[in-house]
């Protein structure tokens, strides 16, 4: 699933954005905050990061829920999904976010996906999602 550093550098330059700036763009936006550091071995793990938000159901669930954003293997889209802390497998079919040209366009698309998933959690919770509680068993 991973990408070589050269593949990612090419992707960044082709689309006029970079991972570090994309990650930093989530700071203090709509109650979202980045919880994952830069993936240490992008050649094995791929490009992904996790975003958290206020956990209004935490007392009822006794666990936290986060959003994972991952660059798909074809590098044409990002996938975004809710997951239970400690298990990065999706609790639903991932939302597809196309790779856009330009940093602002990409950041806005990913931010919109995160906010939408945050509201799903806040309004409906996660117990009714298709793959709750274990997550998709055949992920990747």
């Amino acid at each position: 699933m991973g990408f070589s550093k050269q593949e990612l550098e090419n992707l960044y330059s082709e689309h006029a954005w970079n991972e570090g700036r994309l990650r930093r763009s989530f700071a203090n936006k709509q109650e979202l905050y980045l919880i994952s550091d830069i993936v240490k071995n992008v050649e094995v793990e791929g490009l992904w990061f996790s975003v958290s938000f206020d956990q209004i159901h935490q007392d009822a669930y006794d666990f936290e829920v986060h959003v994972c954003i991952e660059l798909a293997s074809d590098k044409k889209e990002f996938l975004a999904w809710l997951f239970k802390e400690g298990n990065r497998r999706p609790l639903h079919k991932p939302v597809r976010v196309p790779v856009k040209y330009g940093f602002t366009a990409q950041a806005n698309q990913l931010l919109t996906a995160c906010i939408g998933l945050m509201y799903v959690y806040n309004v409906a919770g996660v117990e009714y999602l298709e793959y709750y509680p274990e997550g998709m068993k055949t992920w990747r």
Side-chain angles (χ1 to χ4, degrees):
M1 171 63 199
F3 306 105
S4 72
K5 294 189 187 301
Q6 187 60 52
E7 285 178 301
L8 288 178
E9 286 176 16
N10 292 344
L11 181 71
Y12 300 156
S13 64
E14 287 170 19
H15 294 90
W17 52 266
N18 69 61
E19 175 192 1
R21 187 171 173 209
L22 205 53
R23 289 172 182 276
R24 289 188 304 271
S25 72
F26 281 93
N28 301 319
K29 297 236 176 126
Q30 294 287 325
E31 302 168 4
L32 299 172
Y33 57 95
L34 198 63
I35 58 173
S36 59
D37 291 329
I38 293 173
V39 176
K40 291 178 179 35
N41 192 350
V42 76
E43 293 175 356
V44 173
E45 297 182 65
L47 172 61
W48 64 273
F49 52 101
S50 300
V51 178
S52 194
F53 48 87
D54 289 335
Q55 302 288 308
I56 66 170
H57 296 295
Q58 188 172 2
D59 290 341
Y61 289 155
D62 200 29
F63 58 82
E64 289 190 21
V65 173
H66 308 294
V67 175
C68 184
I69 297 174
E70 181 175 297
L71 182 63
S73 59
D74 64 5
K75 297 184 295 263
K76 294 183 180 179
E77 63 188 1
F78 284 92
L79 304 173
W81 66 83
L82 292 169
F83 69 97
K84 285 174 53 177
E85 186 173 48
N87 178 358
R88 215 176 89 215
R89 294 188 306 197
L91 293 174
H92 54 88
K93 290 186 179 172
V95 173
R96 299 184 179 286
V97 180
V99 169
K100 298 282 187 184
Y101 179 82
F103 169 76
T104 302
Q106 190 67 69
N108 287 342
Q109 291 291 314
L110 294 175
L111 184 61
T112 299
C114 284
I115 290 169
L117 291 169
M118 178 184 74
Y119 285 125
V120 166
Y121 168 84
N122 286 341
V123 173
V126 294
E127 67 269 25
Y128 301 109
L129 294 177
E130 187 173 1
Y131 300 107
Y132 175 82
E134 290 88 17
M136 292 176 73
K137 295 191 187 303
T138 57
W139 180 236
R140 283 197 244 140

